[in-house]
């Protein structure tokens, strides 16, 4: 950032004090409520600390981490988080892209549809999860079972979605996609509207078909928002918690357990604060890795432009 | 002719998608309006979405069983302060990082970007421990203070201020205004979109917060709306109709805000993504 | 009378200014509104779980009538939702903000006592009262030879049945825990009941419940098979060889067979028994008022099936303790004595159907007297059929591991591996905490 020449040294001095002054409230908040607990987590993760124990905390080195690496449930949680990301990120992004493309036309009623698709975003996840428990209700009385029964002319065998080891995670993924797709759609729609119309007109003059226009104009034009959407969704995939706690409690057979769910369960159900803290640290490392990859991608993108 | 056909297909697809998106919401609304026992027994038929006959009994029961208005006021107060204070201190920080030159700025910017990566879930356990040891719990402040300073908000403000043309500020500063005054008189009025989008994203995130207030508060005097649902969930027998009615009442304020300020809402969310 | 040492206040103020949120400190002041009662009388803070309607109303009424009496102290009752009740207590304990008197789930007595959060009650309650309490109440409240908690009621666990459904398939109903059905006979009856209703599930296991229910409700199956959660006679206890032993494994295999064969109603609406979908409901006393209203005289109470070594059942329920930080233990004890007056014990028992905690109340209870409809629970408690859940500070780890194992088994996991993993988790928690030595040993 270059400063315009001709400013007095006095302004620079004022900026020095004012800069810190303006930064201070936020910095203090972040220090007390983010940095301090994170450092505390690092410390706790090296102990066997049990909440409220008169024994205090004993230093055990990396024991908690070694245990996590060998723990089948925790491995399962890592895999589930990855599966969740691998499933939700492409499906939700494609769905959002499709909706955005469909709405990016001068049609009557577009605003109404946009409102409808966005509406689930304003529902808190804890409420969404409760409603979807009923939607997934087992037996022919469940909404989804009923719909599938009607669509297949009653050839569908009603399932207990949330207790089926193969269906529970996809069920939670579907719930999350329903709740989140509208958010991404809006971002992509705004991106579409930033693409200059002239580019399409020029391409049409050159005889490019719709598919080619999509490949060569729309996709490159959407690159920035698309990367943003993909990154945010994959980070959120690792933060999945509310749905799991309310809908399946990690079951059946750990099919839906996640890293955050296990951390909260360790710390609050079993009072094992040390173990919970170690999980939180592992979680942080994963999210950090995703973010670093994001920075990389964004940087190359900026260079391209 | 082909155009009309395409249009019909287009609308058909949109309508189909809209129905899928709408069905769970309709299901919730319909369920809240019918007698408790029929919520689940009719869930497999089309009556799940269209009740025959409407009763407000569930809503009456919710109002009788929980101090709903009280919870609502608490939620409004808590979220209002998280959003309001957050806008103030995070925009100041974003501006200082984007426009002012001060010693240590680059280091602080780096730190904020690093903190951006730490999600609340990762620090919830130690933060809970830390605040509990300090004896700080069960009031409004413990539900607000941890969420006011927000690295994502700072980042959104920072990128927005970077993209703002500098001319206005420079004119103001040549006229002798200090950075603070420049910020409040020149920058803020030109930065409404980013304020709106930060406010919205913050509100969407914190309105439904459940676990934190559950653990950190005891008295109904300070508890927010989402905890009301615990009242229904933990007292068998389950009254699904009442649970759904409570859900409708819980989401109604945000939904109303959304429908009224739809354009700003959508634009705000969109710009939060584009600037990233 | 919320205990707020000046230290924590100043620390909070410091933190507030650190965060540059003077408002926070100001808002913090609002909290005194929660405990604003009469300014003249000193007040005891009391926390309880928000149980079912009748239970809640009765407790509120008892607190009101206590306050109406001419006493030196008033009580201020706060009801907390049951879902995360223990988590909320742990948080308050950590913050040093437990109220003067609080209710908690019986098996957590050892945990709270070990953490030093409770005051012993031996000297606070008169001997006559302690002698009047049922032995199961005394043993539930005792840790390390001291009494730390007393409950107004115990609990009863069994099968509620629709008599006509069972007689229709020619089953004979056991009348005492001694002649409980064998588990094989029980499975045969389930098959016949299902056949009589077009293969609909005939059994409700309250799979819709959360948390502690699964340990309370199904540890008895393990005991009845000769197994258990952890060893009973060793100090510290261990789960290896017990929870994953052949007897516990056999019991859990039976339960898995029921769910796998489609004999168990998922009961999402908690109305499987009241609407007549199932003929049998495996549940505690708290459903008696609702079931009785729905089924009427056709309702029968039966012992749980015998898994091999005699019928077993659960005991223990919500209980009251005085926090270590309470500065007026005599006043708090006065409130507990009030709760334990025969008429008040009976009022609560009438509201929630639970077995009254004192002998004198049992004798006068229409539900539990000699020919009362719930007499079976008293027989179970008095004749050794009921067992307490493990009384150790490791209980949070034990119950969490067992609940997880139960759900895995329900969903079809391999039983031996599942139980072995749960046992390993428990034993590791015990080892991590050095076998949970007594506080005295810790200090010394």
């Amino acid at each position: 950032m270059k400063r315009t020449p001709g400013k007095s040294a006095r302004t620079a001095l004022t900026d020095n004090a004012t800069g810190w002054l303006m930064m201070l409230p936020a910095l203090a908040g972040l220090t007390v409520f983010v940095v301090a607990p994170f450092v505390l987590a690092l410390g706790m993760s090296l102990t066997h600390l049990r909440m409220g124990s008169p024994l205090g905390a004993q230093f055990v080195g990396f024991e908690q981490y070694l245990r996590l690496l060998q723990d089948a449930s925790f491995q399962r949680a890592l895999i589930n988080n990855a599966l969740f990301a691998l499933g939700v990120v492409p499906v939700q992004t494609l769905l959002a892209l499709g909706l955005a493309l469909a709405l990016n036309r001068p049609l009557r009623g577009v605003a109404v549809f946009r409102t409808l698709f966005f509406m689930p975003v304003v529902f808190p996840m804890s409420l969404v999860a409760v409603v979807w428990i009923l939607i997934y209700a087992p037996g022919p009385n469940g909404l989804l079972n009923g719909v599938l029964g009607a669509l297949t002319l009653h050839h569908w065998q009603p399932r207990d979605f949330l207790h089926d080891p193969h269906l529970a995670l996809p069920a939670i993924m579907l719930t999350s996609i329903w709740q989140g797709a509208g958010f991404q759609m809006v971002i992509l729609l705004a991106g579409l509207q930033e693409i200059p119309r002239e580019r399409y007109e020029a391409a049409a003059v050159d005889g490019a078909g719709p598919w080619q226009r999509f490949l060569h104009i729309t996709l490159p034009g959407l690159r920035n928002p698309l990367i943003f959407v993909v990154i945010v969704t994959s980070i959120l995939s690792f933060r999945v918690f509310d749905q799991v706690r309310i809908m399946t409690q990690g079951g059946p057979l750990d099919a839906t357990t996640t890293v955050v769910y296990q951390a909260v369960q360790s710390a609050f159900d079993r009072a094992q604060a040390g173990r919970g803290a170690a999980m939180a640290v592992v979680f942080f490392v994963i999210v950090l890795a995703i973010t670093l990859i994001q920075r990389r991608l964004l940087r190359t993108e900026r260079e391209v432009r | 002719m082909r155009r009309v056909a395409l249009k019909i297909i287009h609308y058909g697809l949109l309508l189909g998608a809209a129905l899928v998106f709408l069905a769970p919401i309709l299901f919730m609304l319909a369920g809240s309006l019918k007698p408790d026992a029929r919520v689940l027994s009719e869930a497999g038929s089309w009556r799940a979405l269209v009740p025959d006959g409407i009763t407000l009994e569930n809503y009456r029961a919710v109002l009788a069983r929980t101090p709903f208005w009280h919870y609502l006021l608490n939620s409004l107060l808590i979220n209002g302060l998280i959003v309001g204070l957050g806008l103030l201190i995070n925009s100041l920080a974003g501006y200082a990082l984007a426009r002012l030159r001060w010693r240590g700025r680059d280091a602080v910017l780096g730190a904020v970007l690093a903190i951006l990566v730490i999600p609340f879930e990762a620090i919830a356990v130690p933060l809970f421990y830390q605040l509990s040891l300090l004896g700080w719990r069960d009031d409004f402040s413990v539900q607000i203070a941890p969420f006011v300073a927000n690295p994502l908000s700072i980042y959104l403000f920072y990128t927005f201020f970077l993209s703002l043309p500098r001319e206005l500020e420079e004119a103001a500063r040549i006229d002798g205004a200090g950075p603070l005054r420049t910020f409040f008189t020149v920058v803020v009025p030109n930065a409404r979109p980013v304020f709106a989008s930060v406010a919205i994203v913050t509100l969407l995130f914190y309105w439904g917060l459940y676990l934190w207030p559950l653990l950190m508060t005891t008295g109904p005097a300070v508890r927010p709306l989402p905890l009301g649902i615990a009242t229904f969930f933990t007292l068998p027998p389950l009254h699904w109709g009442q649970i759904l009615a409570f859900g409708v009442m819980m989401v109604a304020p945000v939904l109303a805000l959304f429908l009224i300020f739809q354009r700003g809402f959508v634009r705000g969310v969109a710009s939060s993504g584009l600037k990233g | 009378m919320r205990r707020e040492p000046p230290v924590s206040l100043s620390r909070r103020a410091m933190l507030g200014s650190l965060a540059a949120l003077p408002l926070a400190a100001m808002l913090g002041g609002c909290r005194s509104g929660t405990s604003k009662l009469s300014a003249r009388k000193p007040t005891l803070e009391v926390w309880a779980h928000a149980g079912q309607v009748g239970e809640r109303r009765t407790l509120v009424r008892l607190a009101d009538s206590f306050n109406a009496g001419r006493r030196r102290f008033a009580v201020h009752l706060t009801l907390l939702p049951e879902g995360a009740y223990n988590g909320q207590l742990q948080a308050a304990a950590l913050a040093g903000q437990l109220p003067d008197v609080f209710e908690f789930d019986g098996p957590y007595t050892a945990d709270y006592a070990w953490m030093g959060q409770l005051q012993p009650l031996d000297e606070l309650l008169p001997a006559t009262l302690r002698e009047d309490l049922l032995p199961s109440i005394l043993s539930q409240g005792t840790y390390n030879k001291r009494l730390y908690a007393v409950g107004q009621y115990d609990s009863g666990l069994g099968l509620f049945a629709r008599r006509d459904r069972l007689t229709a398939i020619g089953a004979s109903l056991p009348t005492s825990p001694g002649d409980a059905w064998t588990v094989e006979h029980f499975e045969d009856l389930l098959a016949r009941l299902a056949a009589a209703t077009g293969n609909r599930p005939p059994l409700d296991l309250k799979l819709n419940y959360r948390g502690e229910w699964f340990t309370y409700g199904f540890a008895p199956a393990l005991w009845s098979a000769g197994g258990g959660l952890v060893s009973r006679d060793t100090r510290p206890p261990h789960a290896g060889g017990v929870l994953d032993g052949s007897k516990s494994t056999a019991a859990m295999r039976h339960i898995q067979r029921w769910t796998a064969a489609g004999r168990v109603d998922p009961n999402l609406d908690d109305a499987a028994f009241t609407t007549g979908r199932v003929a049998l409901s495996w549940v505690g006393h708290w459903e008696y008022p609702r079931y009785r209203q729905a089924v009427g005289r056709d309702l029968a109470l039966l012992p749980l099936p015998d898994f091999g070594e005699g019928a077993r059942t659960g005991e223990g329920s919500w209980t009251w303790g005085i926090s270590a930080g309470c500065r007026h233990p005599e006043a708090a004890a006065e409130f507990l004595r009030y709760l334990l007056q025969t008429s008040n014990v009976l009022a609560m028992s009438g509201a929630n159907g639970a077995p009254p905690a004192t002998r004198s109340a049992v004798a006068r209870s229409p539900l539990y007297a000699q020919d009362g409809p719930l007499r079976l629970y008293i027989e179970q408690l008095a004749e050794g059929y009921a067992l307490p859940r493990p009384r150790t500070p490791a209980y949070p780890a034990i119950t969490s591991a067992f609940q997880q194992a139960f759900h895995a088994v329900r969903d079809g996991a391999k039983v031996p591996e599942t139980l072995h993993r749960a046992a390993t988790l428990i034993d590791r928690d015990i080892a991590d905490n050095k076998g949970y030595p007594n506080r005295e040993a810790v200090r010394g």
Side-chain angles (χ1 to χ4, degrees):
Chain A
M1 218 183 282
K2 282 179 189 140
R3 290 173 56 79
T4 43
K7 290 220 168 162
S8 70
R10 211 176 140 249
T11 331
L13 207 72
T14 326
D15 270 12
N16 221 344
T18 322
W20 274 106
L21 190 72
M22 290 172 86
M23 191 67 219
L24 194 67
L27 202 59
L30 293 178
T31 309
V32 173
F33 297 111
V34 184
V35 178
F38 186 70
V39 172
L40 187 64
L42 284 175
M44 278 161 67
S45 73
L46 303 176
T47 71
H48 277 168
L49 182 65
R50 182 195 191 275
M51 274 192 202
S53 162
L55 294 169
Q58 324 139 51
F59 180 79
V60 294
F62 291 97
E63 171 82 18
Q64 296 285 12
Y65 294 97
L66 291 177
R67 284 183 188 176
L68 287 186
L69 289 179
Q70 294 160 6
D71 184 274
S73 286
F74 192 72
Q75 289 165 5
R76 188 69 224 193
L78 289 170
I79 294 172
N80 286 340
N81 276 125
L83 285 176
F84 192 91
L86 288 176
V88 167
V89 173
V91 173
Q92 193 174 344
T93 312
L94 283 177
L95 177 65
L97 182 62
L99 293 174
L101 287 170
L103 290 183
N104 190 31
R105 275 157 202 255
L107 282 177
R108 213 172 282 178
V110 161
V112 176
F113 283 113
R114 195 189 54 198
T115 309
L116 290 183
F117 297 147
F118 189 77
M119 221 143 80
V121 177
V122 304
F123 283 69
M125 190 40 100
S126 48
L127 174 60
V128 169
V130 170
V131 173
W132 281 77
I133 288 180
L134 293 177
I135 291 177
Y136 289 133
N141 273 341
L143 181 61
L144 189 57
N145 275 321
V147 168
L148 290 171
L151 288 180
T152 58
L153 304 173
H154 302 286
H155 288 298
W156 172 260
Q157 286 294 319
R159 301 287 184 89
D160 190 349
F161 296 96
L162 296 176
H163 284 103
D164 183 320
H166 300 294
L167 293 177
L169 188 63
I172 289 192
M173 286 156 76
L174 182 63
T175 304
S176 312
I177 291 171
W178 175 81
Q179 203 253 357
F183 191 84
Q184 304 186 327
M185 175 203 71
V186 163
I187 290 169
L188 294 177
L189 190 55
L192 283 175
Q193 284 161 357
E194 299 244 310
I195 302 175
R197 204 149 283 284
E198 300 80 53
R199 285 197 210 161
Y200 288 105
E201 283 156 11
V205 170
D206 290 347
W211 177 242
Q212 279 175 318
R213 282 190 304 237
F214 175 74
L215 271 188
H216 297 295
I217 301 172
T218 312
L219 271 190
L222 272 186
R223 202 187 150 126
N224 229 356
L226 266 180
I227 289 178
F228 175 82
V229 157
V230 167
I231 297 309
V232 168
T233 318
S234 29
I235 291 182
L236 288 181
S237 302
F238 272 83
R239 296 168 74 157
V240 174
F241 171 69
D242 279 337
Q243 303 95 303
V244 172
R245 187 182 53 81
I246 295 173
M247 296 171 75
T248 60
Q249 295 90 53
L253 311 183
D254 284 341
T256 60
T257 193
T258 66
V259 175
V260 176
Y261 179 72
Q262 293 224 343
V264 170
Q265 207 190 18
S266 292
F268 295 122
D269 289 355
R270 300 187 203 129
Q272 295 165 342
R275 184 177 165 88
M279 290 183 185
V281 173
V282 171
F283 173 61
F284 166 74
V285 171
I286 294 169
V287 178
L288 180 69
I290 297 176
T291 314
L292 288 180
I293 296 168
Q294 161 203 21
R295 295 259 167 81
R296 255 248 145 77
L297 285 172
L298 283 177
R299 195 167 300 140
T300 43
E301 194 273 339
R302 271 182 194 137
E303 279 157 12
V304 168
R305 195 159 66 180
Chain B
M1 201 56 215
R2 196 165 155 249
R3 276 210 144 158
V4 177
L6 270 178
K7 222 172 191 176
I8 290 173
I9 293 175
H10 199 91
Y11 272 116
L13 284 176
L14 280 178
L15 276 176
L19 186 68
V20 172
F21 272 78
L22 209 54
I25 299 175
L26 279 182
F27 173 65
M28 178 170 117
L29 193 62
S32 74
L33 292 171
K34 58 182 160 193
D36 224 39
R38 295 206 339 235
V39 175
L40 215 67
S41 64
E42 292 180 350
S45 72
W46 62 281
R47 282 279 172 223
L49 305 183
V50 189
D52 61 339
I54 280 176
T55 165
L56 291 177
E57 197 39 54
N58 292 321
Y59 290 86
R60 233 169 271 138
V62 167
L63 292 176
R65 283 179 70 179
T66 64
F68 177 83
W69 301 112
H70 192 95
Y71 283 153
L72 177 65
L73 278 180
N74 287 349
S75 268
L76 289 175
L77 176 72
I78 291 164
N79 285 279
L81 281 170
I82 290 178
V83 171
L85 294 173
L87 287 181
L88 178 69
I89 75 168
N90 294 317
S91 67
L92 283 173
Y95 186 73
L97 290 171
R99 281 293 206 259
L100 301 185
R101 196 167 171 189
W102 38 285
R103 205 168 300 140
R105 188 195 67 184
D106 291 347
V108 171
L109 179 62
V112 169
L113 291 181
I115 292 173
L116 184 58
V117 177
I118 306 183
F120 179 68
E121 290 86 345
I123 54 163
V125 172
L127 184 63
F128 162 81
Y129 205 76
Q130 174 189 336
L131 297 186
S132 293
L133 288 178
L134 292 170
W136 187 7
R137 64 185 301 279
D138 198 23
D139 58 18
F140 283 115
S141 65
V142 79
Q143 303 178 69
I144 297 168
F147 308 113
V148 172
N150 183 322
L152 179 66
S153 306
I154 297 176
Y155 183 68
L156 291 175
F157 279 118
Y158 166 75
T159 49
F160 183 89
F161 293 141
L162 275 186
S163 71
L164 216 58
R166 309 177 71 100
E167 287 77 19
L168 285 170
E169 291 160 75
E170 273 160 11
R173 292 196 74 171
I174 286 166
D175 286 349
L180 267 174
R181 213 173 115 199
T182 311
F183 176 71
F184 284 113
T185 56
V186 179
V187 177
V188 173
N190 285 300
R192 285 210 199 102
V194 70
F195 278 92
S197 78
V198 169
I200 287 157
V201 172
T202 317
L203 184 69
L204 286 184
F205 192 83
Y206 293 117
W207 184 256
L209 214 59
Y210 178 81
L211 191 67
W212 184 255
L214 181 69
L215 290 167
M216 298 308 282
T217 66
T218 309
V222 298
R223 292 201 141 181
L225 210 39
L227 290 192
I229 214 149
T231 315
F232 298 98
F233 242 142
T234 57
L235 295 180
L238 290 179
H239 294 289
W240 284 110
Q242 292 175 23
I243 291 174
L244 294 180
F246 186 87
V248 171
M249 292 166 79
M250 177 165 108
V251 83
V254 191
L255 199 60
L257 275 181
F258 165 62
L259 291 175
I260 297 167
F261 301 106
Q262 220 195 110
R263 301 201 131 198
F265 231 79
V266 169
R267 206 184 303 130
V269 170
S271 70
S272 79
L274 286 178
K275 305 298 179 206
Chain C
M1 196 119 309
R2 207 175 251 286
R3 284 162 303 101
E4 244 181 26
V7 183
S8 93
L9 261 180
S10 71
R11 267 203 203 138
R12 173 171 353 141
M14 203 174 72
L15 208 61
S17 61
L18 250 180
L21 287 170
L23 245 169
M26 194 193 86
L27 285 169
C30 294
R31 142 239 278 271
S32 61
T34 57
S35 53
K36 209 173 276 173
L37 250 183
S38 66
R40 286 163 241 155
K41 242 185 205 175
T43 306
L44 293 171
E45 280 297 325
V46 177
W47 289 0
H49 84 289
Q52 44 117 317
V53 193
E55 204 167 289
R56 232 167 28 203
R57 282 197 191 129
T58 308
L59 192 55
V60 170
R61 205 165 41 70
L62 289 180
D64 286 346
S65 67
F66 180 83
N67 288 339
R70 299 182 154 271
R71 296 167 205 277
R72 280 195 310 126
F73 285 83
V75 296
H76 177 242
L77 180 66
T78 304
L79 294 171
L80 303 180
E82 186 177 337
Y85 188 80
N86 194 53
Q88 300 175 69
L89 281 192
Q90 295 271 8
L94 216 52
Q97 287 185 356
L98 279 175
D100 301 281
V101 177
F102 61 103
E103 196 188 22
F104 52 93
D105 209 352
Y108 284 85
T109 306
D111 187 26
Y112 285 111
W114 180 72
M115 291 192 295
Q117 302 289 357
L118 295 172
Q119 298 194 18
L121 303 178
D122 308 83
E123 270 109 67
L124 292 170
L125 298 179
T128 45
L129 175 56
R130 278 181 282 139
E131 280 154 21
D132 194 28
L133 290 168
L134 298 186
S136 59
I137 294 289
L138 283 173
S139 72
Q140 164 177 265
T142 303
Y143 173 68
N144 209 16
K145 297 186 183 127
R146 288 205 192 124
L147 183 67
Y148 283 99
V150 286
Q152 259 189 310
Y153 48 90
D154 206 303
S155 68
L157 174 67
L159 289 165
F160 280 115
R162 286 175 175 264
R163 208 183 291 271
D164 58 343
R165 301 278 182 89
L166 286 163
T167 44
I169 57 158
S172 64
L173 305 188
T175 51
S176 79
D179 56 38
W181 292 324
T182 65
V183 71
E184 290 79 15
H185 185 56
F186 178 66
E187 284 172 357
D188 177 49
L189 291 177
L190 290 181
R192 277 152 63 190
L193 281 168
T197 56
N199 239 356
R200 277 213 315 250
L203 176 65
D204 167 31
L205 294 179
K206 291 289 175 190
L207 294 180
N208 56 309
Y209 284 2
R210 296 270 169 98
E212 186 59 26
W213 158 247
F214 296 98
T215 311
Y216 172 75
F218 300 99
L222 274 55
W223 297 327
S224 171
L229 300 169
V230 293
S231 59
R232 284 201 178 269
D233 318 320
T234 63
R235 260 195 95 109
H238 59 88
V242 182
L243 178 54
D244 54 359
S246 59
K247 292 174 170 174
S248 302
T249 308
M252 290 302 281
R253 279 209 167 107
H254 280 291
I255 293 172
Q256 188 170 55
R257 220 171 287 156
W258 308 339
T259 51
R263 299 284 182 250
V264 186
D265 191 292
N267 201 12
L268 263 191
D269 55 355
D270 205 28
F273 190 76
T274 46
T275 56
R277 286 207 306 274
V278 299
L280 291 163
S281 181
W282 181 307
V283 73
H285 63 258
W286 53 86
E287 281 289 28
Y288 174 73
R290 191 166 73 111
Y291 282 9
R292 167 74 205 196
Q293 202 179 9
V295 181
R297 302 187 58 82
D298 199 40
L299 183 71
L301 173 61
L302 317 174
L304 297 181
D306 172 4
F307 286 73
E309 301 199 359
R312 288 287 177 275
T313 189
E315 68 175 47
S317 195
W318 291 87
T319 184
W320 295 94
I322 300 177
S323 73
C326 171
R327 282 181 299 187
H328 306 282
E330 293 81 14
E334 187 184 338
F335 179 60
L336 295 191
R337 284 203 303 275
Y338 180 75
L339 291 180
L340 288 172
Q341 282 174 12
T342 305
S343 56
N344 295 338
V345 171
L346 282 173
M348 183 54 89
S349 166
N352 67 4
T358 60
R359 297 172 208 268
S360 35
V362 170
R364 285 178 42 195
S365 160
L367 293 176
Y368 287 95
Q370 201 53 51
D371 291 317
L374 301 180
R375 182 69 189 175
L376 178 81
Y377 291 145
I378 295 293
E379 285 169 32
Q380 294 186 146
L381 286 171
E383 292 166 23
Y385 293 97
L387 292 179
R389 285 158 279 174
R391 291 195 295 259
T392 153
Y395 190 73
I398 295 172
T399 186
S400 163
F402 181 71
Q403 286 167 36
Q404 218 172 351
F406 181 91
H407 289 296
V409 167
R410 174 216 169 164
D411 292 323
K414 287 192 176 130
V415 176
E417 283 87 339
T418 308
L419 291 180
H420 181 64
R421 244 174 66 194
T424 313
L425 280 177
I426 294 168
D427 285 342
R428 196 151 69 190
D429 181 83
I430 293 171
D432 281 353
N433 290 286
K434 301 185 171 161
Y436 288 98
N438 294 337
R439 285 182 74 77
E440 288 71 20
V442 175
R443 286 208 201 94

